[in-house]
Structures are given as C-alpha cells and as structure tokens.
C-alpha cells in the first residue's frame, strides 16, 4: 500500500492551486483523494494524497492511522492556531513521520490582535514537532512591475512546493 499524505486546509481559500501544482491541470477538483506519482532523479514513489478541510477532522470524519505525512495549510490567525491544536490532538496518536505547518508568511510585527506572531507559530511548531514552512518572503523591491511580481510569486510557490515535496518524501515514504 502506498504511503498516505494528508493536507489539511485551515484557511477559507481553496487548495485547488496546490492540487493543480502537484497533480497537474487534468486532475478533478471534485475529488479529494488522489494517486500522486513522484519521479525524481533519485527515486520513484507513489503517494496517496488527500486534501481535507479542518472541519472534516473536527467532525471525526477521517481516519489517520495509516497517515505518514501531514501538512497543515494555515493562515496566521490565533483562531487557526487554536484549530490546529484541536486537530493535532486528534491526529498525534497516529504519529505521522512528517509534520509540516505551512503559511504564506509569518512575522513578529503583528498589526492585528487576532494575528499570531511568527514566534507564537514557531513555539507551537516546536512543541508539536512540526516544521514551519513559509511560502512567500516579503518583497522589498517596490519597483517590480505587477507582472514581474506575479512571476516571482509563482516561481516562489514552485520552489516552495519542491521543498515541500522533498520534506514529505524525505522521510520513510520513499
């Protein structure tokens, strides 16, 4: 049986961009479970990839006993951090080998009382043995055109996806 990776979405936005990036444009967005055939110059692997909303986990609608990798895709609100804690309490007995906490970006310069700081997120990750993965770095060059910025963001997402893939498959999944 191929290894199982579950991506849990804690954001209000869709993960269709991630699904398309991993599986290509021909994948059905209506399906949540997919076979992911990974081929690199070092190894080949088949992974069962399942995309979930965090509410499905809270409703006990999901089994994690065979899960070897877990990816929490989150925003940086305190509510999301609390939801992640609740979900993790339901999953951690399964002891996934790979645990990633993915955010677009995190900062200690919070501007809203509902926003979690990077330090708070890192503390949570360290306490729960997750690796924090930040997808976007701040763009300090304001002279970039919008098109250049969009290309850079797409490139950043691809690079970070490659990093996620290495992290997921770098465990005992291969």
């Amino acid at each position: 049986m191929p290894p199982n990776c579950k991506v849990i979405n804690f954001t209000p936005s869709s993960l269709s961009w991630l699904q398309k990036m991993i599986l290509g444009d021909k994948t059905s967005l209506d399906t949540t479970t997919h076979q992911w055939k990974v081929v690199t110059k070092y190894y080949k692997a088949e992974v069962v990839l399942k995309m979930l909303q965090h509410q499905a986990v809270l409703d006990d609608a999901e089994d994690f006993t065979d899960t070897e990798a877990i990816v929490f895709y989150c925003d940086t609100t305190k509510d999301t951090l609390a939801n992640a804690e609740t979900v993790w309490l339901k999953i951690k007995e399964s002891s996934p080998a790979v645990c990633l906490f993915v955010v677009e970006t995190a900062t200690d310069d919070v501007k809203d009382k509902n926003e979690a700081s990077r330090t708070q997120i890192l503390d949570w990750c360290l306490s729960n043995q997750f690796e924090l993965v930040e997808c976007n770095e701040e763009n300090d060059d304001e002279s970039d055109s919008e098109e250049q910025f969009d290309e850079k963001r797409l490139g950043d997402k691809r690079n970070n996806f490659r990093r996620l893939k290495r992290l997921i498959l770098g465990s005992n999944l291969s």
Side-chain angles (χ1 to χ4, degrees):
M1 183 168 174
N4 191 314
C5 173
K6 293 187 177 151
V7 179
I8 302 175
N9 187 6
F10 288 86
T11 72
S13 60
S14 166
L15 287 181
S16 60
W17 66 270
L18 179 62
Q19 191 171 325
K20 285 181 181 180
M21 192 178 292
I22 294 172
L23 302 167
D25 287 329
K26 295 180 182 177
T27 184
S28 170
L29 297 177
D30 297 331
T31 308
T32 60
T33 304
H34 305 276
Q35 288 293 115
W36 179 23
K37 294 182 181 184
V38 182
V39 179
T40 72
K41 66 181 186 177
Y42 300 109
Y43 55 81
K44 294 179 185 179
E46 283 193 30
V47 177
V48 174
L49 181 68
K50 187 159 189 181
M51 307 285 206
L52 301 165
Q53 292 296 322
H54 79 279
Q55 194 60 45
V57 179
L58 293 175
D59 294 341
D60 288 325
E62 195 60 41
D63 178 31
F64 289 89
T65 55
D66 63 345
T67 302
E68 294 186 46
I70 194 83
V71 178
F72 285 7
Y73 184 73
C74 303
D75 56 29
T76 57
T77 64
K78 289 180 181 176
D79 288 342
T80 295
L81 208 52
N83 286 335
E85 179 68 23
T86 304
V87 167
W88 180 238
L89 289 172
K90 292 179 175 263
I91 298 172
K92 74 178 181 178
E93 293 299 317
S94 301
S95 301
V98 177
C99 300
L100 305 176
F101 193 97
V102 181
V103 296
E104 288 297 316
T105 189
T107 181
D108 279 326
D109 183 25
V110 295
K111 294 176 175 46
D112 184 331
K113 67 179 183 170
N114 294 323
E115 187 177 0
S117 69
R118 186 173 192 276
T119 300
Q120 290 171 312
I121 295 168
L122 276 171
D123 285 345
W124 187 92
C125 289
L126 290 171
S127 297
N128 295 289
Q129 300 178 345
F130 272 69
E131 180 168 344
L132 175 61
V133 179
E134 294 179 79
C135 291
N136 291 324
E137 296 176 17
E138 292 295 319
N139 185 9
D140 293 331
D141 186 2
E142 293 184 23
S143 65
D144 283 347
S145 72
E146 187 172 318
E147 182 178 315
Q148 288 172 324
F149 181 70
D150 287 345
E151 286 176 20
K152 181 185 180 317
R153 285 188 56 141
L154 181 59
D156 288 346
K157 281 193 176 193
R158 284 190 181 129
N159 289 335
N160 283 303
F161 167 70
R162 287 185 194 110
R163 180 172 175 228
L164 278 173
K165 185 165 76 170
R166 282 193 306 272
L167 289 168
I168 290 169
L169 295 172
S171 71
N172 59 354
L173 295 180
S174 55

